[in-house]
Amino acid sequence: MMNKYIFSPAIFLMKVGFLLFPILLFSQKPAKPNAADLHQAIKKLNVLGSVLYVAAHPDDENQRLISYCANEKLYDVTYLSLTRGDGGQNLIGPEIRELLGVLRTEELLMARSIDGGKQRFTRANDFGFSKSPEETLRIWDKDAVLSDVVWAFRETQPDVVINRFYHDLKYNTHGHHTSSAMLSVEAFDLAGKADAYPEQLKYTKPWQPARIFFNTSWWFYGSREAFDKADKTNLYPLDLGVYLPLKGKSNSEIAAEARSMHRCQGFGSLGTRGESVDWFEFIKGDRPTAQDPFAGVNTTWTRVEGGEKIGELLSKIDREYRSDNPSASVPDLLAAMQMIKALPDGHWKQVKLANIKDVIRGCLGLYLEATASEPTATPGESVKIHLEAINRAPSSAGDVTLGSVSIQPAMYDTIYAVALKSNNDFTADRTVKIPENALFTAPYWLTKTPTLGMYNVEKQQLRGLPETPRFATVRWSIIVNGVALEYDTDVAYKAEESAIGEVWRPFEVLPPVFVEFTESSYLVTSGHCPVTLRVKAGRDNVHCKIFLGSPAGWPNAYDAGQTEFDLNKKGETREVTFDLQASSGPDEVTLTASAQIGNIAYPFSLIPIKYDHIPQQSVLLPATAHAARMNLQVLAKNVGYYMGAGDEIPKALHRMGCNVTLLGDKDMDPENLKKFDAIVIGIRAYNTKEDLKFHQAKLFEYVKNGGTLVTQYNTNNELVLDQLAPYPMKLSRTRVTDENAEIRLRLPDNEALNTPNKITAKDFNGWVQERGLYFPGEWDAAFEAPLSSNDPGEAPADGSLLVAKYGKGYYVYTGLSFFRELPAGVPGAYRLFANLISLGKQQP
């Protein structure tokens, strides 16, 4: 039926550029540096220093330090986040797991475009909260992650490595945090040895950093008072609150802007000004010669053989730079570039050659743009590329010529030999054909099946890159005063949006057809259920046939005339419904789907991730869904749902047979609330919805009059009000991270465990990522706590589920991670949640 499919990231690898300007680089928007940016970039050309900052997750980084290193010290600074944050929560949308990892990756890249740093990762998968490094390194492939850290050391060649966390159990932190520091310290000893991960040496060289630090703070000491009294013999201070005249901002203001890019974690920050001291604990290496972590490191051109004269020339360019006419520096910059080219091959030659080319481009006001007529195309399809080049330097800057343009890979190549006269725009439109064998654009770490702890990335040169290299690039050959320069730009797409203006996004090569399940999971409660597939055309004129794959014992029936059809226009959709029957076989199965064109099957769903603070992302994932056969009874029919930070539980309630109404603030009227059998409060609502404090009395009145209110987990800080429940209750940070941890039925006769579904230990099988989080630690005697659980070696935690009678109704607080379990289709989670919303209802 299906004999092949195509799925791989674009692998036209290129050397990652060492760009200087804090621009929206990662949305493919061309650079437009101002005179101050260019002056700073010229100063940076004369600094040969590198710093690697190491931590575990997006948001762990110290933006003040990254900005300080990049903008005050003018070093190359890279943040190595071991994971992409896949295991966390999302305050702005429904993305979790691998989709959250893509979102957080882009947020990190936008942060780096502000603070001036670069970004790298390892293959480690953020599997959720971990209470110890032993657990973390058992779930991660320690050797593989260590090799990636060594790879980052060798690729960035840092003089100084700084860990965000400490490298042993001296401080009690997230297991991922401690593990990141442990691996960094181990890599410090290995990166310079040729016999450590020798397979990497086909692409890089051993490198030994000078020293490594721990970026400590009062938090690790328990209080500011304890830190003030601590012995600081081994600590080195840095004032990171410096003012940056070329930026017109304090370093802390820039850091706050970068920090605020972590929107899905709610980390919007206020800018501050004035002194702000950070401390760095020396771990090993060459001890600094003064009270400065960077003291004694040679960051001048004298560290490169034959580089002294280059430093002298760059100092002259810095002194003579004219902010009213940056192009006046171009002749000397060209001379310095030629001197750098003449150096022996080495790290700093490659870095500074890329840097100085960008500075020359900026000083000329040279704008290069390549945009596609459509944001996506398919293999074999033709697409129009618009080219624009303009030299905005005065004619006194000399001759600037567009020598040639090529569109890679091998789609277009021509010689123009066009003089780019001052402020005269050169444009051209070329129609090119995407090769039939072009590989699809996709996050490279998601193209192969991961394990719980690791992403599967076979190609060494891809490991660590923040994104997949883009498929189509344009190489511009520019001749300036007889000197040849080459610039590469990604082909991008830009559009005009009336509410925003100019909006950029990557140009992507995608399949000609996509198929997705309209539900993430299916409940079969009566022997069969409808399964609807949504099919979408990725180009015009698609003739396809649709297949639903299910295991033996789960046959599906369909109208043959509806599974083969034409989609005439790109973006056109059609739905096909199958009747899934669960007659025999296992109780839980994975369903697959594909759309076939000719003899090629395309088993992919397309998931767009679109927010206004990041470039739009297109994620291809296998088209799969979970299906479970179960006996499920639900007594609550009309359910109101007040959304918190964002989750997919309303869809799960609908699958359970409930009529679901999403409640807004205007709906929180006592008379309106009476019509609901149950009301559910979404995750972290009391952290994110300020108006809840005005609705709380109405909700309690609803319960008192006979309603059922189910409140899901909140964190114990930044609550919009103190009293979450009608009786005293205090949240803690207690969590059970082992999804297989035993759940004990403390009160087996409790109504929540018996009506209308009998809950047993079997109902806690197959849970994903965790049991729950932020359980209440204290509660009034009016509550009953029917469940108990704990991670290995810890005391029992009884607060995962609290149930209380209040007036005629029921109040429920639960820290169980239903927001993960219900979308994943876990049968026992459905049965327990059905009981919670059914409390107080009569059995039929």
Side-chain angles (χ1 to χ4, degrees):
M1 180 172 65
M2 297 173 284
N3 55 18
K4 66 174 180 176
Y5 66 85
I6 303 172
F7 188 33
S8 179
I11 55 172
F12 296 92
L13 296 175
M14 62 199 77
K15 183 70 177 177
V16 178
F18 296 89
L19 298 177
L20 295 117
F21 308 122
I23 58 168
L24 298 185
L25 167 67
F26 306 103
S27 59
Q28 288 73 46
K29 188 175 183 178
K32 299 177 184 177
N34 58 39
D37 293 332
L38 290 167
H39 197 184
Q40 176 166 300
I42 287 172
K43 292 177 179 293
K44 189 179 178 77
L45 288 174
N46 224 357
V47 179
L48 282 64
S50 179
V51 175
L52 182 67
Y53 196 79
V54 182
H57 310 107
D59 83 1
D60 285 344
E61 82 272 33
N62 183 341
Q63 283 90 356
R64 290 185 310 139
L65 179 63
I66 291 173
S67 178
Y68 175 86
C69 290
N71 298 305
E72 170 69 9
K73 303 293 283 186
L74 302 179
Y75 297 154
D76 278 1
V77 54
T78 301
Y79 174 42
L80 174 63
S81 176
L82 268 60
T83 77
R84 296 176 186 264
D86 324 69
Q89 287 84 48
N90 183 358
L91 294 183
I92 62 174
E95 294 87 3
I96 58 175
R97 299 184 297 275
E98 65 273 5
L99 297 179
L100 180 59
V102 174
L103 171 57
R104 290 189 171 181
T105 293
E106 294 302 316
E107 289 185 334
L108 273 175
L109 292 176
M110 297 311 295
R112 296 295 81 75
S113 73
I114 293 170
D115 60 33
K118 304 181 184 73
Q119 185 63 49
R120 291 185 69 92
F121 296 94
T122 74
R123 288 169 287 169
N125 191 349
D126 179 1
F127 56 84
F129 191 88
S130 175
K131 294 184 176 179
S132 71
E134 291 80 11
E135 179 195 45
T136 296
L137 297 175
R138 183 176 68 249
I139 294 175
W140 289 350
D141 181 337
K142 178 193 173 183
D143 188 67
V145 181
L146 178 59
S147 77
D148 290 352
V149 179
V150 168
W151 173 249
F153 277 43
R154 290 169 172 175
E155 284 289 273
T156 63
Q157 293 198 9
D159 299 302
V160 176
V161 178
I162 302 174
N163 296 334
R164 185 69 186 95
F165 301 102
Y166 200 68
H167 56 281
D168 66 20
L169 300 181
K170 179 178 179 180
Y171 305 107
N172 182 24
T173 66
H174 192 319
H176 296 179
H177 293 167
T178 304
S179 295
S180 71
M182 292 171 66
L183 293 171
S184 179
V185 170
E186 192 169 349
F188 182 87
D189 294 330
L190 294 176
K193 299 178 180 178
D195 59 350
Y197 306 106
E199 69 279 1
Q200 298 178 1
L201 301 184
K202 292 189 293 184
Y203 313 103
T204 191
K205 294 180 179 179
W207 176 255
Q208 179 59 57
R211 58 187 71 131
I212 186 169
F213 290 91
F214 159 46
N215 183 189
T216 191
S217 74
W218 67 264
W219 184 89
F220 291 97
Y221 289 74
S223 69
R224 295 184 186 276
E225 293 75 16
F227 181 70
D228 290 342
K229 297 175 182 177
D231 178 12
K232 297 182 177 61
T233 304
N234 203 38
L235 302 186
Y236 294 79
L238 274 182
D239 177 13
L240 303 182
V242 296
Y243 177 65
L244 302 169
L246 290 177
K247 299 291 185 182
K249 302 174 184 178
S250 73
N251 185 61
S252 299
E253 288 174 308
I254 294 174
E257 292 176 15
R259 186 74 172 172
S260 297
M261 286 294 102
H262 292 301
R263 293 189 191 176
C264 74
Q265 298 176 81
F267 285 156
S269 301
L270 292 173
T272 60
R273 290 144 293 280
E275 183 183 67
S276 180
V277 177
D278 260 33
W279 293 85
F280 300 86
E281 181 176 333
F282 177 74
I283 302 300
K284 62 169 60 178
D286 297 331
R287 187 175 289 275
T289 56
Q291 282 293 97
D292 179 346
F294 308 110
V297 177
N298 182 7
T299 61
T300 73
W301 274 98
T302 60
R303 71 184 296 173
V304 176
E305 183 182 355
E308 186 173 358
K309 295 295 183 183
I310 298 172
E312 293 172 0
L313 178 55
L314 290 172
S315 294
K316 172 179 176 291
I317 296 170
D318 179 18
R319 291 192 305 272
E320 298 177 356
Y321 175 75
R322 291 178 52 188
S323 60
D324 64 333
N325 182 18
S327 65
S329 298
V330 168
D332 281 342
L333 285 167
L334 289 171
M337 184 186 74
Q338 297 296 72
M339 294 168 68
I340 295 172
K341 280 185 177 180
L343 292 174
D345 285 340
H347 174 77
W348 285 112
K349 174 183 178 178
Q350 297 303 318
V351 170
K352 294 304 181 182
L353 197 55
N355 288 168
I356 200 167
K357 285 169 55 180
D358 284 334
V359 173
I360 293 169
R361 177 177 167 179
C363 287
L364 289 170
L366 182 61
Y367 180 85
L368 304 173
E369 176 183 302
T371 53
S373 56
E374 297 284 340
T376 68
T378 63
E381 192 174 9
S382 293
V383 61
K384 185 168 73 174
I385 306 294
H386 177 74
L387 304 171
E388 179 184 3
I390 184 169
N391 162 35
R392 291 171 288 185
S395 56
S396 58
D399 297 329
V400 181
T401 301
L402 174 61
S404 64
V405 173
S406 62
I407 304 177
Q408 301 296 328
M411 292 187 289
Y412 175 76
D413 194 359
T414 190
I415 296 175
Y416 280 107
V418 174
L420 298 179
K421 296 182 179 179
S422 178
N423 213 34
N424 284 349
D425 207 6
F426 168 85
T427 62
D429 292 309
R430 293 293 179 266
T431 298
V432 300
K433 184 178 180 181
I434 305 297
E436 295 282 356
N437 63 348
L439 303 172
F440 301 144
T441 305
Y444 69 86
W445 61 96
L446 298 180
T447 61
K448 295 184 180 296
T449 303
T451 64
L452 174 63
M454 294 294 295
Y455 284 116
N456 184 356
V457 182
E458 294 180 352
K459 293 184 177 295
Q460 180 67 55
Q461 289 172 284
L462 282 175
R463 294 174 186 172
L465 296 185
E467 296 182 297
T468 304
R470 294 297 168 186
F471 171 79
T473 61
V474 174
R475 174 157 293 180
W476 310 78
S477 175
I478 306 293
I479 302 169
V480 181
N481 294 340
V483 179
L485 300 98
E486 287 187 337
Y487 296 101
D488 290 338
T489 61
D490 289 338
V491 174
Y493 173 77
K494 71 174 180 178
E496 178 183 335
E497 292 191 11
S498 57
I500 301 175
E502 187 175 273
V503 175
W504 289 72
R505 59 176 286 190
F507 170 71
E508 298 167 313
V509 178
L510 297 173
V513 65
F514 314 100
V515 59
E516 65 178 0
F517 290 87
T518 57
E519 303 285 344
S520 63
S521 62
Y522 295 89
L523 307 183
V524 184
T525 59
S526 59
H528 67 94
C529 77
V531 173
T532 299
L533 302 178
R534 184 179 295 116
V535 186
K536 183 176 182 179
R539 60 170 169 80
D540 293 344
N541 302 319
V542 170
H543 178 83
C544 59
K545 189 172 183 179
I546 310 306
F547 296 93
L548 171 65
S550 55
W554 289 69
N556 58 80
Y558 56 89
D559 182 344
Q562 294 183 352
T563 60
E564 187 169 358
F565 48 81
D566 293 321
L567 298 172
N568 297 318
K569 291 293 183 180
K570 183 177 182 178
E572 183 179 348
T573 62
R574 184 163 172 175
E575 292 187 350
V576 180
T577 299
F578 296 78
D579 183 27
L580 180 67
Q581 302 171 36
S583 56
S584 62
D587 290 336
E588 296 183 65
V589 299
T590 297
L591 306 177
T592 61
S594 65
Q596 186 169 325
I597 300 176
N599 66 346
I600 300 179
Y602 299 93
F604 311 123
S605 293
L606 175 66
I607 301 97
I609 299 178
K610 186 177 181 180
Y611 294 96
D612 62 7
H613 66 300
I614 64 168
Q616 181 171 334
Q617 300 297 303
S618 296
V619 182
L620 291 178
L621 292 177
T624 62
H626 181 271
R629 178 178 54 225
M630 71 177 78
N631 177 21
L632 180 69
Q633 301 295 323
V634 185
L635 303 183
K637 297 304 179 185
N638 294 312
V639 179
Y641 199 91
Y642 187 89
M643 189 67 73
D647 57 60
E648 296 187 351
I649 290 181
K651 294 181 180 178
L653 290 167
H654 179 74
R655 286 192 286 272
M656 292 162 62
C658 301
N659 299 316
V660 183
T661 301
L662 293 179
L663 300 174
D665 293 319
K666 61 181 177 56
D667 302 313
M668 304 297 276
D669 177 81
E671 286 299 316
N672 182 56
L673 299 181
K674 286 180 181 179
K675 67 184 180 183
F676 297 109
D677 297 322
I679 294 173
V680 181
I681 306 297
I683 63 171
R684 296 189 70 172
Y686 288 95
N687 298 129
T688 60
K689 302 294 185 180
E690 191 73 24
D691 284 346
L692 258 182
K693 62 187 176 185
F694 304 117
H695 305 317
Q696 191 77 325
K698 305 170 193 175
L699 290 169
F700 290 167
E701 181 182 349
Y702 160 79
V703 177
K704 194 172 185 178
N705 291 332
T708 299
L709 178 64
V710 178
T711 299
Q712 298 178 85
Y713 101 94
N714 294 269
T715 64
N716 62 349
N717 61 334
E718 298 184 349
L719 292 163
V720 300
L721 77 169
D722 294 330
Q723 187 177 357
L724 302 189
Y727 303 110
M729 179 189 74
K730 186 176 181 180
L731 300 183
S732 72
R733 297 183 64 84
T734 300
R735 60 205 301 166
V736 177
T737 62
D738 185 348
E739 64 268 35
N740 298 310
E742 180 189 6
I743 298 284
R744 297 174 291 277
L745 308 184
R746 293 182 67 246
L747 305 174
D749 295 330
N750 186 275
E751 185 177 351
L753 304 182
N754 289 276
T755 305
N757 305 287
K758 179 66 175 177
I759 302 300
T760 69
K762 181 180 178 182
D763 288 297
F764 297 98
N765 293 340
W767 285 47
V768 298
Q769 186 162 320
E770 61 196 355
R771 291 299 192 187
L773 61 172
Y774 289 94
F775 298 164
E778 301 174 16
W779 55 86
D780 189 84
F783 286 106
E784 291 189 333
L787 302 178
S788 179
S789 184
N790 56 272
D791 281 320
E794 296 189 356
D798 299 339
S800 63
L801 177 62
L802 300 181
V803 180
K805 196 82 168 60
Y806 181 66
K808 299 178 182 179
Y810 284 84
Y811 176 87
V812 176
Y813 187 91
T814 178
L816 294 170
S817 58
F818 288 109
F819 73 101
R820 297 192 191 279
E821 313 311 323
L822 297 184
V826 178
Y830 270 98
R831 286 162 47 81
L832 179 55
F833 205 83
N835 284 9
L836 299 182
I837 62 175
S838 298
L839 284 168
K841 309 303 176 288
Q842 296 299 315
Q843 283 276 20

